[in-house]
Amino acid sequence: MTFFSDTWTVFTRAMRLSLRQPMWVAIGVLQPILYLTLFGPLLVPLANAPGFPPGDAWTVFVPGLLVQLGIFGGAFVGFGIIAEWRSGVIDRELVSPASRTALITGRVLRDVVVLVVQAIILIVCALFFGLRVPVGAAVLGIIMIGLLGAAFSYFSYSAGLAMKSEDAFAPLVNMVSLPILLLSGILLPMSLAPQWLQLLSDVNPFKHIVNAVRALFRGEVGTFEVGLGLMLALILIALGAWAGKRVFELQTK
Amino acid sequence: MDTAMIEARDLKRTYKAKGKSIEAVRGVDLSVRAGEIVGFLGPNGAGKTTTLKMLCTLLEPTGGTAVVAGHDLRGDPVGVRRAIGYVSQAGSTAPEARAGEEIVSHAKLYGIDPKTAEARARKLLADLDLADVWDRNCGSLSGGQRRRLDIVMGLIHEPKLVFLDEPSTGLDPQSRANLWTHIRKLRDEMGTTVFITTHYMDEADSLSDRILIIDQGKIVAEGTPAELKKRVSGDTITLTLRRAEDAVEAAGVAGMLPGADVPVADGHIVRFHVPDGGSALPVLLAEFTKAGIEAIGVEVNRPTLDDVFLTLTGRSLRE
């Protein structure tokens, strides 16, 4: 089927271009490592405070950082597609018989590969700080982060290509990602929050994804929390893929 | 045998912006035969690129129909895409990507295997004087090299029909001349049908077998460059006479030529238009000898496509 071969073609091209710019990948992973080093130790004494969720500081904090990596890794890829559109690459691909969904999915896959590599680096670093996590749980956690990142990539490419302007896209990304970040309990668990803030965060799907990864890291695989997070991640991906396909189709409308 | 490559009827495109609808293309009819080089000439904003994008499936028409390379534009856009090449004025490659890799990757979207793609690409690159760019970053190429690379990208799947959108914009005169040679070779050696938009009169004039002129979203004239020029404004003949008193008589003689307009005499100078200056001149000079009029200077100016455009629309192409 042409969808798979086209996706592979777009993916290999995008991957090759990313590997030529390893600086960006490095910068992307540097940020969570800074959080790990400069913020993580502050949480260790907090882990015994009332309201702190089960598990030690690292099994609470590292999943949050992973989700942050997924959100920010994905959210900014839209800048790349604006540049590609400007250099004529998007029109060149649209005028080929390639599947429209493949054009965006190939790029999303590249982002997922980059994200997974960053997540592995982050987890390995966290092991040195004292994170203890079963290998199977870490793998499942990384898969969930990959799904989340894919959803964000789809949304980001859709928004970038729909707007075609970095000046309009940058404020949008900040406006969307900051509340998502604050209301998902990435830095501090939402269980510490007053009730109104907890209620607000309950409607944020990303909080449930963070909670699911935290549950995984505690070794709770078959729980409702994990199922809910996984389901939300899958719904987000489906919505993102639909939006991406739609935006690529709208390019010729 | 049906040799029509493009057959468009009443093609329309309306944009909606801020509640108002803007008619960018207002009913274009055009036919292009296989093996033709057709120039699509018009000022900026006339609807050239919009028409081109519709024919390339990059923009859905809001009205009308078209059959491109044997495939219906609406019914079988993928069939159209397989058969055509499109060279955009915006470029086609990422600056940080290597030229050879971009071409092979693009070819794969047409289902061409990498080996065949590379062989074809190297040959095309050599044909377009780009043999040594394979491993170079596209961003490091000169404007002219990048434009030729875009053409290679557009030809890698050996399309029957290729659309070139303003191919020589921003190129220096020598690169333009080179590019024209390559475009002619495309048709002469590979039989490719070429549809080229331009707002340069000299480009349309020297490249095209036939020219379509578009203005304000409608085709206002079509024909060979020579036909268009002849039909619209004719040649300008400027006579300089030895004696000013001969001017009136000379004007009278010139006005008798078949197809001439009313000559204008101004001092020693008489100016008028005839459909074909080259064949009118010997007749005119023979008449002058008979009448004893002495002309010391004769100038015949062929009309340019700019004159054609001016006569057709009342506006200059350069505006």
Side-chain angles (χ1 to χ4, degrees), chain A residues 51-74:
Chain A
F52 204 84
D56 67 19
W58 299 110
T59 49
V60 170
F61 187 49
V62 174
L65 284 183
L66 286 171
V67 170
Q68 190 193 18
L69 195 67
I71 291 175
F72 279 90

Side-chain angles (χ1 to χ4, degrees), chain A residues 13 16 20 92 252-253, chain B residues 58 60 92 101-102 106:
Chain A
R13 173 180 178 275
R16 205 165 41 220
R20 295 249 168 82
R92 183 257 287 175
T252 57
K253 290 270 160 38
Chain B
L58 278 178
E60 255 179 37
S92 65
E101 292 171 353
E102 284 289 74
H106 187 57

